[in-house]
Amino acid sequence: MNDAMVQHLIGLSSDMAIMSLLALSAYLLLLVGRVSFGQQAFFGLGAYASGILSAMFHAPLLLALGFGMMFGALCSWLLAMPTMTLSGLHYAVATLAFGEMARIVLSGWQWQVSSPDGPVGPAGIEGFRDIRWLLEHDITPAHFLGLTLAILALVLVVLMRTERTRLGVALRMTGQDDTLAATQGIDVSQVRLFAAAVAGALAALGGGLYAHRTTYIEPALFDPMLGVHAVGYALLGGLGTALGPLVGVMFDLGLLDATHLFSGWRMVVFGGLLALFLRWRPRGLLDEQLVHWLSQTLKWKVRA
């Protein structure tokens, strides 16, 4: 395997890990019964926020990513507050409208500071260039991949451990039947606000990693199709476990896109398969029933 192929695989793996964070943000909202087509907004806001902190104010990478996460969580929480009473199509359209509003605002926002290499910062529709923290600190693509995978693994561990707690049960009960959940003493509104804030933070974290990997971002990158794909990954992979969205990402980016399988027909194949799953497996490949069966089978084999 030559060096060019290795670098391509490293880049592809980084992109898959980053998109997995975005897919997990959509997954959390699906768990509480909300379909959001606006997660690309928080992905973009996190990208800009973390890029500003590292490129314009020379903050460390982890601090910049943390700031982006907090900003994404705050924006998502603020959006969830007035849309709390919406559901179904109304909520989906509201999030889609917010995503477009955020993209338009970023397209007109200009704020740059002087640097030895020239102006740096958001430049409206021309985007935000020279987010060069990784290059300035000699972080190789392989090292960045390791960091990205470590962050994704940490997120997965937290989410999967949470599934077995009272909070995890409350999230799923809210999504399955919010009226029944309320009669069991669950504060449905607070659960959904919490899920929205965490989802915004995860999307923003993915955006921050993406901005530093590519060194250049522009508002056009955060279009509605990015949000649609995030939801599609979660629905295709399954809502039974946090590993589900990763399966959706690996199928689309790791199989259809990377191998050029069905070249020119990738979107048709992905969309068609998603439509079939919505009809025959509405909770995705790794739904709750399959995850339970796999868990029981594994326990039986361990005991044997």
Side-chain angles (χ1 to χ4, degrees):
M1 186 179 296
N2 58 41
D3 186 64
M5 180 63 72
V6 170
Q7 292 303 314
H8 173 72
L9 290 175
I10 290 174
L12 175 63
S13 299
S14 297
D15 287 340
M16 290 172 59
I18 290 169
M19 287 300 108
S20 294
L21 291 170
L22 180 61
L24 285 169
S25 75
Y27 160 82
L28 276 177
L29 290 172
L30 286 168
L31 278 189
V32 296
R34 292 293 184 262
V35 179
S36 172
F37 290 134
Q39 294 310 105
Q40 73 278 6
F42 310 113
F43 188 85
L45 292 172
Y48 270 79
S50 60
I52 285 171
L53 213 64
S54 68
M56 299 172 65
F57 295 96
H58 310 290
L61 177 62
L62 293 181
L63 178 60
L65 294 175
F67 176 74
M69 289 181 67
M70 290 188 293
F71 187 64
L74 175 62
C75 292
S76 185
W77 182 82
L78 290 174
L79 174 64
M81 287 290 288
T83 58
M84 187 60 58
T85 58
L86 301 178
S87 62
L89 180 62
H90 296 90
Y91 182 82
V93 171
T95 56
L96 178 62
F98 176 79
E100 282 299 276
M101 288 171 57
R103 186 178 63 83
I104 291 171
V105 169
L106 292 176
S107 296
W109 185 34
Q110 298 191 27
W111 178 34
Q112 295 185 303
V113 297
S114 299
S115 75
D117 298 321
V120 60
I125 198 170
E126 294 182 3
F128 186 170
R129 303 177 185 275
D130 296 326
I131 306 175
R132 300 171 59 84
W133 194 93
L134 298 181
L135 298 175
E136 292 170 352
H137 292 79
D138 296 323
I139 306 297
T140 66
H143 290 152
F144 181 72
L145 171 60
L147 172 64
T148 305
L149 290 176
I151 291 174
L152 177 60
L154 178 61
V155 170
L156 284 173
V157 168
V158 172
L159 290 178
M160 295 182 73
R161 289 182 66 88
T162 301
E163 290 175 357
R164 300 178 178 274
T165 65
R166 290 173 60 88
L167 175 59
V169 173
L171 289 169
R172 291 191 179 275
M173 286 185 65
T174 299
Q176 293 286 349
D177 191 329
D178 53 4
T179 301
L180 179 60
T183 63
Q184 298 298 312
I186 296 174
D187 192 332
V188 171
S189 296
Q190 291 301 315
V191 168
R192 283 185 168 141
L193 282 173
F194 172 79
V198 176
L202 290 179
L205 174 60
L209 290 168
Y210 179 81
H212 287 85
R213 172 175 135 64
T214 61
T215 73
Y216 168 73
I217 50 177
E218 62 180 40
L221 295 172
F222 314 118
D223 65 1
M225 285 307 299
L226 186 60
V228 171
H229 270 84
V231 174
Y233 293 149
L235 288 174
L236 183 64
L239 303 180
T241 171
L243 292 174
L246 276 67
V247 173
V249 172
M250 287 188 289
F251 175 79
D252 184 38
L253 297 184
L255 180 61
L256 296 182
D257 187 34
T259 63
H260 299 289
L261 193 64
F262 304 108
S263 181
W265 294 86
R266 170 194 165 201
M267 295 300 298
V268 175
V269 173
F270 182 77
L273 188 61
L274 182 59
L276 291 175
F277 266 67
L278 289 174
R279 174 63 179 87
W280 301 107
R281 293 188 71 90
R283 301 289 289 182
L285 180 63
L286 296 178
D287 60 8
E288 288 85 353
Q289 184 177 358
L290 180 58
V291 170
H292 177 73
W293 180 82
L294 291 173
S295 176
Q296 293 301 314
T297 302
L298 182 60
K299 288 181 179 178
W300 181 80
K301 288 186 177 181
V302 170
R303 289 174 183 174

